[in-house]
Amino acid sequence: VSQLAIGVDIGGTNMRAALVDPDGAVVSHARRRVELGGSAARCAAEIVELAQIVAADVGLTAIGGIGVGIPGWTNRLSGELVLAPKFSRLNSRELCDGLREKLPCPVYFDSDPHMATLGELWVGAGRNADNFVMITLGTGIGCGIVIGGQLYTGHHGFAPEFGHMIVGEASEIPCACGVPGCLESLASGPAIGHAGQQAAREGRGQLLVEWSGGNAEAISAETVVACARNGDPTALVILQRAGRLIGAACANVVSLLEPERVVVGGGLSDLGELLLGPIRETMQRQSYLIAQGYACPELVKAQLGDRAGVVGAARLAYNHMD
Ligand SMILES: [Zn+2]
């Protein structure tokens, strides 16, 4: 490959871009906050700006392709871009067309969890694994499945929807997917923040209230995480409950696919064993394949951190450039 690729990641909070070399190393990187209410034209303009920033050293003309991880999917049968429910106000066709018009090279799209999985498969925790599952835990809960070294994407390209598997009773905060009891509504970052607020209302969250400036309604996932790191029992119970729900979903995935590895990424994975511990323990107990010693998939933290998405998106572009 004589030309380089750029990977772009449009997440729930940040938009990132990186110039990535053919070996998967990040040459330059830039990010900014995402404005969810913005128009597709504005979003496209911001992506073009970020691409120009990271390409500044080599010039955009030396870019052979740009991969974009989106909070949505590409319909493989129709070729249309479909955005996830919480981003549905963005006009996907306008976003796609805007980018293809303004960028002087081919642009490829796929879902952000797919991109993170492709990044970890290329140069991260999925290296040398032919069959693995990556889950991403943050504002949303996503997943990527690698079978025989290839991403599994389903008939239309919408799989896997790990975060919207049903794992419990309806939670108080409804999910944008519209189906009560899904994993994302019970164990994502916003769900963890909500559980912290609930604990405070019930008089169990003294430190949580204190660390959110005395305002129980301001308790967020970040507050719960900070308190848990400080050993606060209420925060630890909240994280353990989220971990058990995620672990139960992982046990189902192990029953279904028997992967050799489960890679955990996304912002919440930075908690390390505080969250990975309960996930692993539940996964091992609730999957009979593991409990009875037939299978032993390891559950490990992702290696690329918040750059997995941009690295994977660049890989997507290289896949088309080779
Ligand atoms: Zn849902």
Side-chain angles (χ1 to χ4, degrees):
V1 183
S2 58
Q3 292 183 307
L4 296 179
I6 288 178
V8 174
D9 180 23
I10 310 173
T13 316
N14 289 301
M15 183 186 285
R16 302 163 192 278
L19 181 66
V20 180
D21 77 12
D23 296 322
V26 172
V27 179
S28 59
H29 179 261
R31 73 168 183 181
R32 61 179 55 168
R33 285 191 78 81
V34 170
E35 283 179 43
L36 274 177
S39 67
R42 180 78 210 117
C43 186
E46 296 210 23
I47 291 172
V48 172
E49 267 178 54
L50 279 184
Q52 284 166 342
I53 291 169
V54 298
D57 289 344
V58 295
L60 257 188
T61 45
I63 304 303
I66 298 186
V68 184
I70 53 160
W73 317 265
T74 307
N75 182 328
R76 292 190 313 156
L77 298 189
S78 69
E80 291 233 4
L81 191 67
V82 184
L83 292 181
K86 60 188 148 192
F87 283 82
S88 57
R89 284 172 59 197
L90 269 181
N91 183 317
S92 52
R93 181 170 286 267
E94 224 177 286
L95 177 65
C96 249
D97 292 350
L99 283 175
R100 293 200 160 119
E101 207 171 280
K102 289 183 182 124
L103 290 165
C105 58
V107 185
Y108 310 97
F109 298 92
D110 207 337
S111 74
D112 46 358
H114 276 166
M115 295 300 83
T117 305
L118 212 47
E120 294 289 339
L121 172 66
W122 190 16
V123 288
R127 239 175 327 189
N128 311 321
D130 267 351
N131 303 293
F132 78 94
V133 172
M134 173 167 185
I135 61 174
T136 57
L137 309 173
T139 313
I141 294 182
C143 172
I145 295 172
V146 172
I147 297 176
Q150 302 289 323
L151 274 180
Y152 175 77
T153 60
H155 180 53
H156 285 89
F158 298 164
E161 273 296 275
F162 181 74
H164 304 289
M165 285 170 52
I166 306 307
V167 294
E169 298 295 318
S171 74
E172 271 180 49
I173 43 165
C175 178
C177 76
V179 183
C182 77
L183 182 63
E184 191 167 303
S185 70
L186 292 162
S188 64
I192 288 169
H194 187 268
Q197 295 171 13
Q198 183 67 30
R201 278 196 291 272
E202 291 166 4
R204 292 181 285 116
Q206 254 178 326
L207 191 69
L208 289 165
V209 177
E210 202 178 299
W211 284 22
S212 59
N215 178 7
E217 301 309 308
I219 293 171
S220 64
E222 287 73 23
T223 323
V224 177
V225 164
C227 290
R229 284 207 166 107
N230 200 51
D232 179 59
T234 303
L236 285 169
V237 165
I238 291 170
L239 289 184
Q240 280 157 6
R241 176 169 182 273
R244 281 199 304 273
L245 288 165
I246 298 163
C250 287
N252 288 335
V253 168
V254 169
S255 297
L256 206 58
L257 300 172
E258 204 248 299
E260 70 182 279
R261 203 172 294 163
V262 176
V263 176
V264 185
L268 286 172
S269 68
D270 290 341
L271 275 162
E273 287 304 308
L274 269 184
L275 186 61
L276 266 57
I279 295 175
R280 185 185 298 108
E281 192 270 324
T282 307
M283 180 183 89
Q284 292 175 342
R285 186 165 36 81
Q286 297 196 334
S287 163
Y288 94 93
L289 285 177
I290 304 176
Q292 296 190 16
Y294 295 119
C296 51
E298 47 176 356
L299 186 121
V300 297
K301 190 172 177 294
Q303 291 175 356
L304 303 184
D306 54 14
R307 296 191 174 184
V310 287
V311 171
R315 178 70 238 186
L316 174 72
Y318 276 122
N319 285 348
H320 290 276
M321 287 158 60
D322 285 344

